[in-house]
Amino acid sequence: MDCVYKNPSAPIEERVKDLLSRMTLEEKIGQMTQIERCVATPSLIADLSIGSILSVGGSAPFEDAPSEAWADMVDGFQKAALGSRLGIPLLYGVDAIHGNNNVYGATIFPQNVGLGATRDADLAQKIGIVTALEVRACGINYTFAPCVAVCRDPRWGRCYESYGEDTELVRKMTSIVTGLQGQPLPGYPQNYPFLAGRDKVVACAKHFVGDGGTDRGINEGNTISPYDDLERIHIAPYIDCISQGVCTVMASYSKWNGSHLHANHFLLTEVLKGKLGFKGFVISDSEAIDRLSHPHGSNYDQSILAAINAGVDMVMVPFRYQLFLDHLRCLVESGKITMTRIDDAVERILRVKFVSGAFEYPLSDRSLLDTVGCNQHRELAREAVRKSLVLLKNGKDVTKPFLPLDRKAKRILVAGKHADDLGFQCGGWTKTWDGMGGRITIGTTILEAIKDAVGGETEVVYEENPSPDTFASQDFSYSIVVVGEPPYCESGGDSQDLRIPLGGEELISLIAERVPTLVILISGRPLYIEPSLLEKMNAFVAAWLPGTEGAGITDVIFGDFEFHGRLRNTSFK
């Protein structure tokens, strides 16, 4: 019997049908399972026909592992999958949400909050192209991006993952999907998954749906709205992603009118797969099935039943894989989950694997390694930083602008922890799940960029927290104060006051009362500034979470480029 599924010239749907007909129930539910790399072994992958592996929250081969080490690891997993009975390759997934941010030395772009301020769809597409290259250099073929949430309340801890509060802006920036996956050719089947070649990655539109519209901005909370509003505000960007051939969609932890999205048949199956015609697969969020019951992980049988029957195709387990496999098999054998539903899920997963070229090119392309963190990619990130900056104040007198700064000033003061902390510049989802401070990767801090930008006769004095004595003995032409939020992610970033943390307000006041001052705010969202504090500043710039290329900031504040960015939030909704 000929193996149609092994024939790259055969139509994809025929390959899917042929392979599905050869699979046992155990192999099918194995394909529906995504596990964490730290629990994966070659024998487990081959014996259970595991469909996908991921790195949870930056889980890496080892500390500061370069791209080549990632490629070695992923290739090892792929070889194990290819050694299984049917030789079905893996999808390996990572959260490459602002560049390949888990990997040491990769180019880290501004977070989506900053990209939204650029309003530049072409730039977003170029960033997708570069991100895909650096991800594929690691042997990885799947990224859980882009986040197309419409953030209606900046108190949400994931605000920085959203391009903005305006649906049309978010729709515009979905061009990053074409960057990540490539451009479908004219005549390509509508709403069908697409991937252009070995230098592209499977993308994932997330989190379906309404995650940015929860009551009071509470992460994983409840979005309260009629369906028409949900469709108009939150579903609309998914239509654009699907039209570009996005391969996967991730369900949201949140609820819609009290109903968990992971168990919502109407939204996942009737709307997403039916009304919108999505032909790729729906993946759960990490341990999301566990969260369908309280306490988490209890009543696991019912939680799996609800999610799979609602329309979840692949489950990000990621650790309790054997328990998941056993429960899912029993649910199918008992008839509570039909084979029709299992076959639909596996068809969708196999369709994406064939479309992605994983069967023909399962292993890494080592020729891409030289692209990681290269000058061309960093220049693009620097451009993105420049275009994301928003000028909020320029001079106490509108007729006398404070910016651009004099790069030939005799002595300038730079203050604030954020001025010389690469991890704080990058924010959450960088190296680790919630991010971290310090020299976490290769890049240029704002302080380093300032020192490079000023003239040779200018003395740059950096004090993280100057005291009043600092000003008694030194005569400063001006100061640059860089303050903002520490890294955070998800619920850990929920905030009810939106004030500048870490003593930022006090630092601004101390310095601005003594020296003409530019304040640069590093944050994942708009923060509240007291009018009296704003009056003390001479200039104020929102720099968001710019990533590794701090020179993009000095390009603008010293006048080499004009300010371009515009605010993407107006008020609470």
Side-chain angles (χ1 to χ4, degrees):
M1 183 177 180
D2 293 336
C3 287
V4 175
Y5 82 90
K6 292 184 178 180
N7 179 5
S9 300
I12 285 176
E13 290 304 308
E14 290 185 15
R15 299 178 76 184
V16 170
K17 182 178 179 180
D18 178 62
L19 179 51
L20 188 68
S21 71
R22 300 170 185 270
M23 297 175 70
T24 65
L25 173 60
E26 286 73 19
E27 287 168 330
K28 290 176 181 178
I29 64 177
Q31 285 299 299
M32 295 171 65
T33 308
Q34 185 180 68
I35 65 174
E36 217 286 321
R37 60 143 213 105
C38 70
V39 299
T41 64
S43 59
L44 185 155
I45 293 167
D47 295 346
L48 300 180
S49 191
I50 295 297
S52 184
I53 295 175
L54 82 156
S55 285
V56 173
S59 172
F62 53 84
E63 185 77 10
D64 293 341
S67 296
E68 186 173 8
W70 282 81
D72 291 340
M73 177 188 71
V74 176
D75 281 354
F77 290 141
Q78 284 287 19
K79 289 173 183 177
L82 297 175
S84 64
R85 186 179 77 89
L86 294 171
I88 305 173
L90 295 161
L91 290 176
Y92 193 107
V94 292
D95 287 285
I97 65 171
H98 61 133
N100 196 15
N101 41 266
N102 292 326
V103 178
Y104 186 85
T107 308
I108 309 299
F109 292 91
Q111 299 270 10
N112 287 354
V113 63
L115 296 185
T118 73
R119 289 172 161 75
D120 191 331
D122 291 337
L123 177 65
Q125 183 173 335
K126 291 175 183 177
I127 288 171
I129 292 169
V130 167
T131 299
L133 283 170
E134 297 202 9
V135 170
R136 285 307 292 257
C138 294
I140 295 167
N141 53 12
Y142 185 17
T143 175
F144 307 124
C147 177
V148 293
V150 180
C151 178
R152 306 294 276 185
D153 192 323
R155 292 175 292 185
W156 185 35
R158 305 188 79 151
C159 179
Y160 64 81
E161 297 183 49
S162 166
Y163 294 110
E165 69 173 24
D166 177 56
T167 300
E168 292 308 307
L169 171 59
V170 176
R171 294 185 68 180
K172 181 178 182 179
M173 301 303 281
T174 63
S175 58
I176 194 171
V177 171
T178 295
L180 292 166
Q181 296 190 163
Q183 178 73 53
L185 298 173
Y188 191 80
Q190 187 177 13
N191 302 337
Y192 198 83
F194 176 79
L195 198 124
R198 295 183 69 186
D199 60 350
K200 301 297 181 183
V201 293
V202 170
C204 179
K206 65 181 188 183
H207 308 84
F208 193 82
V209 62
D211 51 337
T214 60
D215 182 40
R216 292 169 291 148
I218 296 172
N219 189 51
E220 302 182 24
N222 187 27
T223 298
I224 304 168
S225 77
Y227 175 76
D228 287 349
D229 286 349
L230 187 77
E231 184 175 66
R232 176 178 57 85
I233 297 169
H234 298 286
I235 292 178
Y238 290 89
I239 298 173
D240 298 275
C241 292
I242 293 168
S243 70
Q244 294 174 69
V246 74
C247 289
T248 73
V249 170
M250 184 182 292
S252 176
Y253 285 133
S254 59
K255 302 174 184 178
W256 174 54
N257 294 333
S259 172
H260 283 282
L261 264 298
H262 276 81
N264 195 306
H265 183 273
F266 170 68
L267 289 175
L268 295 183
T269 296
E270 295 179 42
V271 174
L272 178 60
K273 295 179 179 180
K275 183 176 182 179
L276 303 188
F278 176 58
K279 302 295 195 301
F281 70 80
V282 175
I283 187 169
S284 80
D285 210 331
S286 183
E287 295 185 338
I289 288 183
D290 299 60
R291 303 180 190 215
L292 293 178
S293 297
H294 296 283
H296 288 176
S298 63
N299 202 10
Y300 201 43
D301 208 55
Q302 182 61 37
S303 297
I304 295 172
L305 177 65
I308 300 301
N309 280 343
V312 173
D313 302 310
M314 179 179 284
V315 176
M316 194 182 296
V317 177
F319 301 104
R320 301 199 299 170
Y321 60 88
Q322 192 61 62
L323 186 65
F324 170 75
L325 292 168
D326 291 344
H327 277 276
L328 181 53
R329 185 183 68 253
C330 289
L331 287 165
V332 176
E333 290 173 345
S334 69
K336 293 180 179 179
I337 296 177
T338 66
M339 278 304 303
T340 300
R341 171 76 269 269
I342 295 298
D343 285 349
D344 171 62
V346 179
E347 282 177 6
R348 290 170 176 275
I349 293 165
L350 295 179
R351 180 179 296 131
V352 169
K353 289 189 175 186
F354 283 120
V355 163
S356 72
F359 281 83
E360 285 66 57
Y361 303 105
L363 302 180
S364 63
D365 181 353
R366 304 295 171 119
S367 70
L368 298 177
L369 287 169
D370 288 342
T371 69
V372 177
C374 67
N375 289 337
Q376 182 181 2
H377 291 181
R378 293 189 183 277
E379 281 301 314
L380 179 66
R382 185 170 175 171
E383 176 189 350
V385 176
R386 288 197 298 265
K387 290 184 174 180
S388 70
L389 302 180
V390 179
L391 179 61
L392 299 173
K393 179 178 181 178
N394 190 15
K396 294 183 177 182
D397 182 338
V398 294
T399 65
K400 298 177 181 179
F402 188 68
L403 300 177
L405 298 174
D406 180 6
R407 67 175 75 236
K408 295 183 179 180
K410 182 178 179 181
R411 181 181 292 112
I412 63 176
L413 173 66
V414 180
K417 181 173 178 56
H418 290 71
D420 196 32
D421 193 308
L422 199 60
F424 277 35
Q425 263 177 229
C426 293
W429 296 106
T430 313
K431 189 174 183 180
T432 64
W433 173 61
D434 51 356
M436 58 193 301
R439 179 64 62 170
I440 61 171
T441 189
I442 298 170
T444 303
T445 69
I446 297 168
L447 175 64
E448 291 168 338
I450 292 169
K451 290 180 177 179
D452 288 341
V454 298
E457 302 301 316
T458 300
E459 180 185 359
V460 177
V461 177
Y462 174 61
E463 292 189 20
E464 182 177 320
N465 292 293
S467 68
D469 292 341
T470 300
F471 307 96
S473 58
Q474 301 194 55
D475 181 23
F476 297 109
S477 301
Y478 56 82
S479 69
I480 302 172
V481 179
V482 192
V483 295
E485 298 181 305
Y488 56 80
C489 69
E490 301 193 28
S491 299
D494 284 358
S495 172
Q496 291 304 305
D497 63 14
L498 297 177
R499 302 297 289 261
I500 302 175
L502 306 177
E505 294 177 350
E506 293 80 2
L507 183 64
I508 294 169
S509 183
L510 171 72
I511 298 174
E513 287 175 351
R514 294 165 172 81
V515 182
T517 296
L518 161 65
V519 174
I520 299 174
L521 182 64
I522 304 296
S523 69
R525 53 197 161 195
L527 298 181
Y528 178 75
I529 307 294
E530 290 282 358
S532 59
L533 186 62
L534 185 62
E535 289 176 7
K536 294 179 182 179
M537 309 173 193
N538 294 79
F540 185 33
V541 172
W544 314 112
L545 297 169
T548 52
E549 306 312 302
I553 293 174
T554 53
D555 283 344
V556 179
I557 64 174
F558 285 106
D560 295 328
F561 292 84
E562 297 291 327
F563 281 92
H564 174 95
R566 294 162 52 201
L567 290 178
R568 25 132 298 156
N569 286 73
T570 55
S571 61
F572 293 174
K573 293 292 186 288

